[in-house]
Amino acid sequence: MRFLDSGESHGPQLTAIIEGIPSGFDISIEKINQALRNRQQGYGRGRRMQIEKDQVKILSGIRFGKTTGAPITLVIENKDFKHWQDIMSVDADDENENKRVSRPRPGHADLNGGIKYNHRDLRNILERSSARETAIRVAVGSLAKQLLTPFGIHMLSHVTNIGGIQSKGFYQLASMPLEQLSSRIDQSEVRCIENEKTEQMKKEIDKAKNDGDTLGGVVEVVVLGLPVGLGSHVHWDRKLDARLAQSMLSIQAFKGVEIGIGFEAANLSGSQVHDEIAWSEEKGFMRVTNRAGGIEGGMTTGEPIIIRGVMKPIPTLYKPLQSIDIDTKDTYEASIERSDACAVPAASIVAEHVVSWEIAHAFFEKFSGDSYQEIKNQYQSYMKQVEGY
Ligand code: EPS
């Protein structure tokens, strides 16, 4: 299973081609569109989100609501393209020297990308490094998520920190039923489970916005209903925790990842960190606690996966930061007209969907086949084997 995506932030569209999806899986376009709507929401977004109305178009690989086994093509139109047609034109005659971007923004890919790809117009870098690309990755992840639903695998995401305002994580919320968690998260404008913290986070965002500044934060994703043994210990590149970390860090502006208790493990002794093993007739093998966050030895333990990612404050600021013009080499103060003050709530949706893709990838590596029926047979036979272990 793999996918490639393409598209510029202000170009005509984002496109993904997904290969290796078995046949016979139910896919709901409405579920993909709901995920896209969720990604567009969240307190702290800028004016661009009033222009875009993300909706997926499926151009291949699905007929009558089911996957056919052929490559699946997804497209999301950029409504803003109509304002950028000249600047984003493919036609050489439309090139306009005056519209060139020569001032790299600190914290962005602009300068490194410009030097590496030898562009004198930094728009060639910023258009592709933009977080607009996360829209198509959410669409791909939503499709992947739907492939896992028949096997009882579900995921949820929320925000646990914005600008230093900390809220409860899944460890403290484990006793709350999934539906209740989910509806409380969806009701919060910043996808935070605690009402009081939601208000505090919104105040921090307002403050940052008034100061021409931006805020980052922490998002957390939980995956439930996993079988034991997805991923593997045998090769570095088959370890599920390593793959999840890679995909989380591939989200624009993400700077760190924690699995389970994460960095807190440095402050504790081994006996306080590792999860004791138990067994019961009804449940088989299990862990008494889940500090490992559902992965040991690069493989799922069968306990929920708990993974967090930290997003840096968006580097496109109204407040000027010092930079250098690549043509004149003069110092200037970089400031920008339009940006999000905080996109952490949106990033929680993105994190949930890149995790969904990675879990589906590992799932279909373990249970491989060309059709739903073939995969279901394999899954059931493995679960029987696990039960008898
Ligand atoms: C982004 C800058 C802003 C965001 C954009 C990501 O876009 P613009 O420069 O057009 O105002 O709105 O996010 C999205 C378009 C999106 O769909 O999330 C950036 O530089 O990364």
Side-chain angles (χ1 to χ4, degrees):
M1 235 168 102
R2 58 183 183 157
F3 77 93
L4 259 188
D5 74 73
S6 69
E8 278 77 39
S9 179
H10 304 98
Q13 65 179 48
L14 302 165
T15 309
I17 301 184
I18 318 170
E19 196 223 27
I21 305 294
S23 70
F25 280 85
D26 290 321
I27 299 298
S28 146
I29 295 187
E30 180 39 36
K31 281 189 184 152
I32 301 178
N33 285 337
Q34 183 59 54
L36 292 174
R37 279 196 293 277
N38 292 344
R39 193 201 69 92
Q40 283 203 268
Q41 283 160 18
Y43 200 77
R45 292 287 245 162
R47 289 199 309 277
R48 176 79 188 268
M49 285 306 98
Q50 286 152 25
I51 299 172
E52 300 301 339
K53 297 272 172 299
D54 293 343
Q55 290 209 314
V56 75
K57 262 192 236 160
I58 301 185
L59 301 186
S60 74
I62 294 177
R63 275 190 82 212
F64 310 129
K66 285 198 190 310
T67 58
T68 64
I72 297 173
T73 308
L74 306 181
V75 163
I76 298 170
E77 196 187 314
N78 290 326
K79 300 261 185 240
D80 207 13
F81 175 61
K82 60 175 178 288
H83 307 121
W84 292 78
Q85 295 193 40
D86 293 342
I87 292 177
M88 297 307 293
S89 169
V90 292
D91 196 332
D93 295 340
D94 290 333
E95 193 168 1
N96 182 345
E97 179 65 18
N98 299 329
K99 299 276 181 180
R100 217 160 44 79
V101 176
S102 63
R103 297 179 156 194
R105 298 158 305 165
H108 276 272
D110 304 352
L111 182 60
N112 309 334
I115 294 170
K116 176 177 162 65
Y117 287 88
N118 199 21
H119 285 304
R120 301 306 301 178
D121 184 355
L122 300 178
R123 179 159 299 286
N124 288 322
I125 305 303
L126 71 89
E127 283 292 333
R128 183 60 188 157
S129 64
S130 163
R132 174 71 187 147
E133 185 256 357
T134 60
I136 197 74
R137 278 205 275 166
V138 166
V140 171
S142 170
L143 193 136
K145 200 176 185 185
Q146 294 184 48
L147 306 175
L148 296 169
T149 309
F151 303 100
I153 300 174
H154 300 283
M155 33 283 252
L156 207 65
S157 64
H158 70 152
V159 169
T160 61
N161 187 327
I162 286 183
I165 308 290
Q166 194 105 25
S167 166
K168 283 182 182 151
F170 285 123
Y171 278 117
Q172 292 135 305
L173 299 164
S175 57
M176 202 182 277
L178 198 62
E179 289 77 27
Q180 200 182 335
L181 268 175
S182 177
S183 78
R184 280 179 59 172
I185 294 165
D186 288 343
Q187 274 161 27
S188 161
E189 283 179 88
V190 286
R191 299 188 54 76
C192 168
I193 193 95
E194 294 176 84
N195 292 338
E196 201 185 310
K197 295 292 166 72
T198 293
E199 293 314 313
Q200 288 178 24
M201 287 175 182
K202 282 170 60 184
K203 270 199 193 122
E204 279 305 299
I205 295 169
D206 288 341
K207 210 160 101 206
K209 203 170 169 180
N210 287 336
D211 289 350
D213 224 324
T214 57
L215 288 180
V218 175
V219 306
E220 189 176 53
V221 180
V222 65
V223 188
L224 301 136
L226 291 158
V228 61
L230 298 188
S232 174
H233 65 292
V234 304
H235 286 302
W236 62 271
D237 58 347
R238 291 182 59 198
K239 292 174 195 258
L240 188 61
D241 39 6
R243 287 177 170 188
L244 287 170
Q246 199 266 340
S247 58
M248 288 284 272
L249 287 178
S250 76
I251 304 171
Q252 289 77 346
F254 272 53
K255 300 305 281 180
V257 178
E258 285 187 313
I259 294 175
I261 61 167
F263 280 44
E264 179 58 18
N267 305 322
L268 303 168
S269 58
S271 59
Q272 295 170 308
V273 168
H274 299 294
D275 304 306
E276 291 185 301
I277 297 171
W279 185 88
S280 81
E281 192 78 52
E282 188 200 344
K283 291 185 175 164
F285 286 101
M286 62 190 135
R287 303 297 187 281
V288 178
T289 50
N290 181 27
R291 297 179 195 116
I295 303 177
E296 283 173 348
M299 292 168 280
T300 50
T301 59
E303 303 292 336
I305 288 182
I306 298 174
I307 182 164
R308 286 178 296 283
V310 60
M311 184 188 197
K312 68 179 178 182
I314 289 168
T316 309
L317 303 175
Y318 289 86
K319 200 176 205 157
L321 287 181
Q322 184 188 303
S323 184
I324 302 284
D325 189 295
I326 60 166
D327 293 335
T328 63
K329 310 295 190 281
D330 287 342
T331 302
Y332 77 99
E333 297 211 313
S335 76
I336 226 77
E337 305 131 46
R338 188 174 80 178
S339 176
D340 301 329
C342 177
V344 179
S348 87
I349 297 289
V350 178
E352 177 180 332
H353 288 85
V354 302
V355 164
S356 300
W357 170 264
E358 220 44 63
I359 298 292
H361 192 208
F363 187 90
F364 290 104
E365 229 165 45
K366 170 120 193 72
F367 308 108
S368 61
D370 298 313
S371 69
Y372 171 62
Q373 190 57 52
E374 201 180 341
I375 286 159
K376 191 170 145 199
N377 294 345
Q378 275 194 42
Y379 174 80
Q380 285 173 343
S381 140
Y382 175 73
M383 292 313 273
K384 227 178 188 161
Q385 179 194 314
V386 170
E387 221 178 281
Y389 183 81

